């Protein structure tokens, strides 16, 4: 089954404790992205990647890191999480520029 | 600054009637527009799209209209069904790298 898998689905952590949210897709898509969804703000793009070792900042990249060492994986790293990063995070992938995005089920993160 | 806006946070419609969801954008460079549907505890799923060279695209009960001069996009669902109850996001892109989403409209279809 074609899918984008995010882990964990729920995470509670404390300020400053490094964490990684994993994202994996099995559709051989070139493009992958991370979004955060906040009330009243919709989905905002954090980072995106056009292919292995090619990443670029989205609208809200501050406080986040990403890497794309393999085509299927695109982890989101929070080196020193802060409470303002409490949010619902989505990973997405797509075949090429302008193509339809497929989203993971989301990761709800709470930073205390 | 929000480049894609959905000014109606919620909409209620009777089953069988038409649902019209609206979306406005500010960036004239946007050339590709999409609608996504989201159920609770799930990721958004693609519904329908339109490129800037068209003004209408239809897929079954769903039709998207694009008015470039007004920078306005709308999604029509006819007839509306209870299973259409979800949050709908419009999204726009210029050159297919970055995507900008609206804040979403929660549609409730009343049986």
């Amino acid at each position: 089954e074609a899918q984008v898998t995010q882990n964990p689905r729920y995470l509670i952590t404390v300020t400053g404790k490094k964490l990684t949210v994993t994202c994996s897709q099995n559709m051989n898509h070139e493009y992958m992205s991370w979004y955060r969804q906040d009330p009243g703000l919709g989905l905002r793009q954090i980072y995106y990647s056009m292919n292995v070792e090619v990443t670029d900042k989205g609208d809200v990249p501050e406080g986040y890191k990403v890497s794309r060492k393999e085509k299927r994986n695109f982890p989101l790293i929070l080196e020193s999480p802060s409470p303002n990063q409490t949010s619902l995070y989505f990973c997405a992938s797509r075949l090429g520029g302008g193509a339809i995005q497929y989203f993971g089920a989301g990761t709800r993160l709470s930073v205390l | 600054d929000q480049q894609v806006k959905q000014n109606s946070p919620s909409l209620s419609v009777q089953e069988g009637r038409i649902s019209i969801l609206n979306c406005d954008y500010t960036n004239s460079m946007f050339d590709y527009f999409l609608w996504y549907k989201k159920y609770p505890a799930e990721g958004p799923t693609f519904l329908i799209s339109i490129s800037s060279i068209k003004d209408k695209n239809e897929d079954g009960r769903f039709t998207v209209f694009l008015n470039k001069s007004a920078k306005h996009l709308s999604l029509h669902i006819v007839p509306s069904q209870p299973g259409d109850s979800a949050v709908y996001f419009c999204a726009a892109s210029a050159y297919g790298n970055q995507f900008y989403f609206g804040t979403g409209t929660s549609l409730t279809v009343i049986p």
Side-chain angles (χ1 to χ4, degrees):
Chain A
E1 180 191 351
Q3 59 186 5
V4 177
T5 303
Q6 294 178 229
N7 280 298
R9 292 291 311 277
Y10 302 91
L11 180 59
I12 301 174
T13 189
V14 295
T15 300
K17 186 175 181 183
K18 181 179 177 181
L19 66 92
T20 299
V21 184
T22 64
C23 175
S24 179
Q25 51 95 3
N26 62 0
M27 296 169 278
N28 201 35
H29 285 170
E30 284 89 12
Y31 284 66
M32 297 185 75
S33 297
W34 275 103
Y35 294 86
R36 60 179 287 175
Q37 183 188 357
D38 301 291
L41 296 173
L43 282 86
R44 293 179 293 166
Q45 197 165 22
I46 303 170
Y47 269 95
Y48 61 97
S49 168
M50 290 161 281
N51 216 322
V52 174
E53 303 291 4
V54 182
T55 62
D56 207 349
K57 296 177 181 178
D59 263 356
V60 287
E62 296 79 17
Y64 304 95
K65 282 176 57 177
V66 292
S67 69
R68 188 93 182 273
K69 293 185 170 51
E70 306 164 280
K71 199 171 188 180
R72 63 181 291 127
N73 295 323
F74 191 43
L76 179 69
I77 302 154
L78 284 72
E79 295 268 1
S80 183
S82 62
N84 65 12
Q85 293 177 298
T86 292
S87 188
L88 178 58
Y89 291 86
F90 291 101
C91 180
S93 74
R94 59 193 166 102
L95 188 57
I100 299 158
Q101 293 193 84
Y102 295 83
F103 283 83
T107 295
R108 187 165 291 282
L109 171 66
S110 294
V111 183
L112 305 176
Chain B
D1 188 30
Q2 200 81 16
Q3 297 193 48
V4 177
K5 297 178 184 177
Q6 293 176 257
N7 292 318
S8 298
S10 63
L11 175 68
S12 289
V13 171
Q14 289 286 339
E15 181 178 2
R17 306 294 288 268
I18 184 171
S19 295
I20 300 177
L21 293 87
N22 293 304
C23 180
D24 297 297
Y25 61 95
T26 56
N27 189 340
S28 58
M29 300 303 291
F30 287 149
D31 57 3
Y32 191 60
F33 304 87
L34 310 94
W35 284 94
Y36 284 85
K37 179 177 176 178
K38 185 182 180 303
Y39 292 118
E42 295 182 11
T45 54
F46 170 75
L47 191 58
I48 193 168
S49 64
I50 189 168
S51 76
S52 58
I53 61 171
K54 292 185 169 184
D55 54 20
K56 176 182 173 181
N57 189 25
E58 208 168 342
D59 184 2
R61 296 186 297 114
F62 303 92
T63 303
V64 57
F65 295 92
L66 176 62
N67 182 334
K68 288 189 291 292
S69 60
K71 295 191 180 70
H72 180 79
L73 190 67
S74 64
L75 174 68
H76 292 208
I77 307 173
V78 184
S80 301
Q81 299 173 353
D84 296 330
S85 297
V87 177
Y88 290 79
F89 291 97
C90 67
S93 170
Y95 316 116
N97 283 336
Q98 277 194 260
F99 283 81
Y100 297 87
F101 283 75
T103 50
T105 296
S106 178
L107 173 66
T108 302
V109 180
I110 303 161

